[in-house]
Amino acid sequence: MISTLLNTRGTRAKRRVSVTAALAATVALGLALAGCTSSNNNPSSTSTSGTGGSASGVSIVVMGGATNDPFWSTVKNGGEAAAAGVEKAGGKVTFLAMPNYNNFNADAAKLVANILAQKPSAAVIPDWAPEAQNANIKAITDAGIPVFIYNTGADQVKTVGAEAYVGSDDYASGKLAGETFAKQGSKHILCVNTLPGTATAEARCKGLNDGATAEGGKATELSLPSSQFGDPTAIAQAIKGAVLQDSSVDAIFTISQGDADSAASGLSQAGVADKVKLGSTDFNTAALGRIDKGTQLFAIDQQGYAQGYYAVAAAFQFAAYGIALPGDLPTGPAIIDKSNVAKATAGVKDGAR
């Protein structure tokens, strides 16, 4: 797999130098704490309960995206795999989900406040909207509760007093996408942003433009209301309208796997699927099928399963045993294209991709 794991670009590069040692320590924890897990049926709050052991009483709370967001299902699969080992050691892991993305920043801030109220031994939090979340995250760390930022927020770790970051670099993901498009001849890429105002989406679109510009192209942004996130009809129609209105657009980049399906539909409806290239952040089975058939150029993989697994494992080993990571754990970006799509497809079948 072509990967930029060893060349992740970000503002906190110094914390990444010992990633190999950190990764080895976390993997060792996972191997040592293999076990089985159970959860309740509440989609917004599920937990695994400790059954006794050396870490009895240790509790980890993990914040994630909405339950109808397929990417976060993969992240949670990874978190639950690590939670199995936590439970065997006597600990407990609770997962909290965003209700939806209609009132994104405010709901994210409330969910962080909910974590503080639970007084866990450690917390795992994505810092999607620093201006909304950081005060509440800082309140958690000020209370002496260690926080591990994951998925988004590598540049916020020091600001909120967190221990480390586990995840991909959103700017680097966008830049890799822009470079890939431009090297394939694209001159005008449209970044479809269905979560405007979030650090994640804004960084991806900025990186896309910078990557494309460096290779002689450019990128512009199609900003849609966040209430349309997960609405395939509305997104497909918006993309159809955009490419019909501006014939210079020769590539579409989406910030989520579901949006890529909508983009494929919109391009088909506009009759330009054979002229406008498609790439996405994240992927699903449909996207992998398009990559295999040549109707989608690539997908940028932030490897969500790894984010969930390593973040939960790192938070637990720190809370239970005082084992600190020597640096951040980058999980991406990696690119999936026709050369490696078969392996990614195999991973999807196992719930790991």
Side-chain angles (χ1 to χ4, degrees):
M1 173 176 291
I2 301 171
S3 174
T4 59
L5 294 182
L6 300 181
N7 189 30
T8 304
R9 288 150 285 193
T11 59
R12 305 180 60 254
K14 290 183 180 180
R15 290 182 58 89
R16 298 178 184 268
V17 296
S18 299
V19 68
T20 301
L23 182 59
T26 309
V27 170
L29 171 74
L31 292 174
L33 300 181
C36 298
T37 185
S38 62
S39 62
N40 61 37
N41 294 320
N42 184 346
S44 63
S45 178
T46 61
S47 66
T48 62
S49 299
T51 56
S54 61
S56 181
V58 173
S59 62
I60 310 298
V61 175
V62 184
M63 174 178 163
T67 56
N68 66 345
D69 183 340
F71 170 75
W72 282 98
S73 295
T74 302
V75 175
K76 190 178 179 186
N77 284 344
E80 288 181 332
V86 173
E87 180 183 8
K88 184 177 180 181
K92 174 182 177 181
V93 180
T94 300
F95 296 87
L96 301 179
M98 288 279 283
N100 51 53
Y101 297 151
N102 294 345
N103 194 23
F104 194 96
N105 288 12
D107 284 341
K110 289 177 183 177
L111 209 55
V112 176
N114 190 0
I115 293 174
L116 177 59
Q118 295 191 33
K119 295 181 170 59
S121 304
V124 176
I125 302 172
D127 198 356
W128 296 308
E131 69 282 3
Q133 294 178 250
N134 277 7
N136 288 346
I137 297 175
K138 189 67 166 54
I140 295 175
T141 58
D142 284 347
I145 300 170
V147 170
F148 287 77
I149 302 297
Y150 81 136
N151 178 253
T152 298
D155 59 341
Q156 299 298 315
V157 171
K158 184 176 181 179
T159 300
V160 299
E163 301 300 324
Y165 174 72
V166 179
S168 187
D169 184 314
D170 294 309
Y171 175 81
S173 295
K175 190 170 184 181
L176 178 60
E179 292 168 348
T180 302
F181 272 127
K183 288 177 181 178
Q184 292 295 319
S186 298
K187 297 298 183 182
H188 182 186
I189 311 159
L190 192 65
C191 187
V192 181
N193 188 350
T194 51
L195 290 174
T198 64
T200 300
E202 299 298 334
R204 289 173 185 167
C205 286
K206 183 179 187 306
L208 181 75
N209 183 59
D210 289 352
T213 300
E215 298 293 335
K218 71 173 184 177
T220 56
E221 184 174 325
L222 175 62
S223 181
L224 302 177
S226 59
S227 59
Q228 290 186 0
F229 186 92
D231 184 340
T233 301
I235 297 169
Q237 289 302 307
I239 292 171
K240 174 185 175 181
V243 295
L244 289 177
Q245 183 177 8
D246 187 349
S247 60
S248 72
V249 173
D250 55 8
I252 297 288
F253 181 66
T254 68
I255 65 163
S256 78
Q257 58 209 57
D259 291 347
D261 293 341
S262 301
S265 175
L267 294 177
S268 178
Q269 292 177 43
V272 296
D274 59 336
K275 300 177 182 178
V276 179
K277 295 181 177 68
L278 175 61
S280 69
T281 302
D282 305 325
F283 58 92
N284 53 20
T285 301
L288 295 178
R290 288 192 296 268
I291 293 171
D292 187 49
K293 294 177 182 177
T295 56
Q296 180 168 329
L297 186 61
F298 65 85
I300 301 295
D301 186 11
Q302 56 179 312
Q303 302 182 127
Y305 185 96
Q307 292 178 11
Y309 184 91
Y310 293 130
V312 170
F316 174 71
Q317 68 176 352
F318 186 80
Y321 310 122
I323 300 173
L325 296 182
D328 294 345
L329 287 176
T331 65
I335 191 164
I336 296 173
D337 56 21
K338 201 169 180 63
S339 70
N340 55 24
V341 68
K343 287 186 178 180
T345 301
V348 169
K349 292 179 181 178
D350 291 337
R353 297 298 292 272

